[in-house]
Amino acid sequence: MLRLEPRASHSVLAAWLSPLVALVMTVITGTVIFIAMGKDPAATLYIYFLQPLVSASGLSEVAVKAGPLVLIATGLSFGFRAGVWNIGAEGQYILGAIVGGGLAVFFHDSTNALLLPSMLALGIVGGMIWAAIPALLKTRFNANEILVSLMLVYIAELLLVYLVHGPWRNPQGWGFPGTRTFPDAAVLPVFFAQHRLHWGLILALATPFLAWFLVAKTRFGFRVRLFGSAPLAARHAGVRSTRMIWMTLLIGGGLAGLAGVIEASGTIGQLMPNISPGYGFTAIIVAFLGRLHPLGILLAGVVIAVTYIGGENAQIVAGLPKAVTGLFQGVILFYLLAFDLVTRYRLVFRRERGPEHA
Amino acid sequence: MLDLIIPSMMTMMTAATPLIFAATGELVCEKSGVLNLGVEGMMLVGAVFGFIGATVTGDAYVGFLIGGFSGIMASLIFAVLTLLLVSNQVATGLALTIFGTGLSALVGADYVGETIDRIRPLYVPNAADGPNVIQLFLGHDPVVYLGVLVLLACAGFLSRSRWGMILRAVGDSDVSAHAIGYPVIRIRFAAVAFGGLMAGLGGAYLSLAYTPLWAENMSAGRGWIALALVVFASWRPIRVLFGAVLFGGITIVQLNAQAIGLGIPGAVMSMLPYLATIVVLVLISSNATRIRLNAPACLAQPFRPER
């Protein structure tokens, strides 16, 4: 009979294999779903997982989608490591877009070269402000950060809807909800004229390396890891939980806000109601799939971005509802959590003890 | 005046009902020591399968039951992962919500815009007479009464019954309960499944009675508000009733303010329930002793019997 024996220490090999196993299992599950929906599984799987990677425009789109995911997930990984559950990154992302993008709305005829950097900085500030609310309420009033940060997502969404329908609506927009398109000085330049890939990519690529340095090489990173894995030991070592909660939430919020303003400036070029296809929530999956490791997150961000683009392609080509993508993302996380078992336990096949031993 | 008050009070109860279901289920689940953050996902699953069930069978009550059943199914995924495979409850609950949102949007895609024969109130006065007081007591649909009944039954079960006591013991000290010989994992499975059933029913109520149609993400955060209600109620069922009605009331304020036209934009008014949730959480949680006294001691702690 199959038994679980706790491992003395977490298996590193198993920890890195389980995301791969989870991906393979998700593809298998996807095949079953496609067959159930009456689609040709091979063709649909190709559209979903490979087609985004075989053309330059596909690759560009994957990078455009991976950027915000990687930025947000990197920020979230600090909190998740420390056991601070910020699940409101979606709201922090929107606030970053509002606060940073708002600058471009106010100075819509500016050509000042300082506009773009100021927007990026304000985007970070916007995300941080939104994350500071759960931090304050958690440290000061003991309010659950999961629920507070999540409620703030809905409030941020409604705030954006209000702004782009009301005071910030483009006066020349024929009533469509959305702000003026940003001036050139407020737009992150693209690399190639025919693709949407923009300079935001550089930030998204650099951040995980910076984060890796922070986690692996600094005292702060050590404290975050200690606080998450052994809170009592951390307290005796002088790590203040208030400070940890504030720091991890601010990092998460700041990077989510940065992702939001980058998306508004680089990918969209204005503010409009649906500036996010759920990046803030999907980034949670990216963070776990990347094992909360900055470089793992970089890889995981690309993988999840492929499913986004694949989902869009499948919608156009194969008439699959876009929701399949969300379903896949949930399934990946389920499998990942399930296979995580083997990082903590050893599977042992052993005969049931006979009655003579009892 | 009655013309205004009675319909408002009626809507207050119908707005409270999905929350009563979902929060009562989650409360029982948390009392057993399991934190399931997948309520929102389970509600959506219940809403979509309930709606499809009603469309296919033509009977809203059959749909309601199917919604509850699908909630159980969704919760069992969570139960297997967290209880048998000892996965992190917070992460698994989030996964369940993401999964439920995706699944419901996928299977519901063909049903957007469909209409059904909704769950109807027991008693409707003649339109000519206008609303009357009898309506307040008899004018709801059966599900509203069912929700209150189940909540009261849970209150009695948890505080007075033997199995209710055992369930709380499991939530307060899984190791001791296991040592005495209670089947901790099995009891938690049952509690999680009950939470799934209730979330599924609450979701089905949304798509079959509250707004009888299916729309993507139609629960709009009610699952999360239900989670907050459990904290608000400090894990006491009767207080869940108050909390849910309070939130129903906030919904009414929001709708009426929009109808009267106070000059406050709709989007800003729609923030009210979410803002209220935050305020309520802050007020309740700031009393840390109260939370510590009432919260199940083993909430969200993984448990694996070694022998």
Side-chain angles (χ1 to χ4, degrees), chain A residues 266-340:
Chain A
T267 312
I268 304 175
Q270 68 177 133
L271 290 179
M272 51 188 217
N274 39 349
I275 51 169
S276 169
Y279 283 140
F281 294 111
T282 309
I284 296 172
I285 300 173
V286 172
F288 281 113
L289 196 62
R291 307 254 59 132
L292 304 182
H293 188 290
L295 306 182
I297 287 171
L298 196 56
L299 279 176
V302 173
V303 170
I304 297 292
V306 167
T307 68
Y308 260 121
I309 305 300
E312 283 173 11
N313 291 347
Q315 190 183 19
I316 299 163
V317 183
L320 271 175
K322 213 173 177 176
V324 177
T325 312
L327 183 68
F328 276 172
Q329 292 171 354
V331 169
I332 287 184
L333 192 48
F334 275 147
Y335 280 126
L336 186 70
L337 291 164
F339 292 120
D340 263 1

Side-chain angles (χ1 to χ4, degrees), chain B residues 19-50:
Chain B
L19 295 174
I20 290 177
F21 273 95
T24 306
E26 178 67 15
L27 187 144
V28 170
C29 181
E30 289 190 17
K31 269 291 178 190
S32 82
V34 183
L35 175 68
N36 185 351
L37 293 183
V39 184
E40 180 85 0
M42 297 189 294
M43 282 185 93
L44 282 168
V45 168
V48 77
F49 283 107

